[in-house]
Amino acid sequence: MRVKIEGGCHCGAVRFEAEVPNAVEVLDCNCSICSMTGYRHLIVPHRDLRLVSGEDKLTSYRFGTGAANHLFCSVCGIKSFYQPRSHPDAWSINLNALDGAEAEALQVTVHPFDGRNWEQARSKLD
């Protein structure tokens, strides 16, 4: 069964919606940026996420290899979704950026991901 989820940034300028299974797997990454921000990755194919508002408010940040495109709200600074290097055909939605009731309705299984050792950990995602 698939469900529609909605979410966005803190100030509400960036809003998105997506279609996901009601039982989802989430990656809890320990890399420098994810651990500092509390980001929890819900991977969604590009075709299943729609940006509802705020495209003009998104600002990009790249570091390391530059492959990942971290998209932050230029108003409040929250990264509600971004393009991860680990899944080039998908978006990573921050589970913590979902609207409350919708996040609670999902059956979530959390898997640790060793982003500090990204190259070794990436091979375990396939």
Side-chain angles (χ1 to χ4, degrees):
M1 185 168 110
R2 296 183 62 79
V3 296
K4 179 181 168 184
I5 57 171
E6 297 179 31
C9 67
H10 188 259
C11 72
V14 175
R15 296 290 302 163
F16 64 83
E17 60 186 28
E19 295 276 333
V20 299
N22 66 331
V24 296
E25 295 188 2
V26 172
L27 298 174
D28 189 10
C29 180
N30 68 355
C31 80
S32 60
I33 196 165
C34 292
S35 61
M36 286 181 166
T37 60
Y39 200 98
R40 296 173 63 181
H41 302 262
L42 172 57
I43 305 299
V44 176
H46 284 154
R47 69 182 177 278
D48 293 341
L49 182 135
R50 184 174 78 85
L51 183 59
V52 175
S53 65
E55 183 174 2
D56 62 328
K57 299 296 185 209
L58 291 173
T59 188
S60 175
Y61 172 67
R62 295 176 187 254
F63 66 96
T65 66
N69 187 13
H70 299 269
L71 300 170
F72 293 85
C73 173
S74 62
V75 178
C76 67
I78 296 299
K79 178 174 68 168
S80 52
F81 71 96
Y82 81 106
Q83 177 61 65
R85 72 175 170 156
S86 60
H87 295 81
D89 297 326
W91 295 107
S92 173
I93 296 173
N94 186 353
L95 185 69
N96 294 327
L98 295 182
D99 294 345
E102 294 179 357
E104 293 170 10
L106 294 175
Q107 298 171 13
V108 178
T109 302
V110 178
H111 299 283
F113 180 76
D114 187 11
R116 291 183 184 161
N117 299 294
W118 195 90
E119 297 299 332
Q120 296 86 357
R122 170 63 182 105
S123 65
K124 296 176 184 172
L125 292 177
D126 295 329

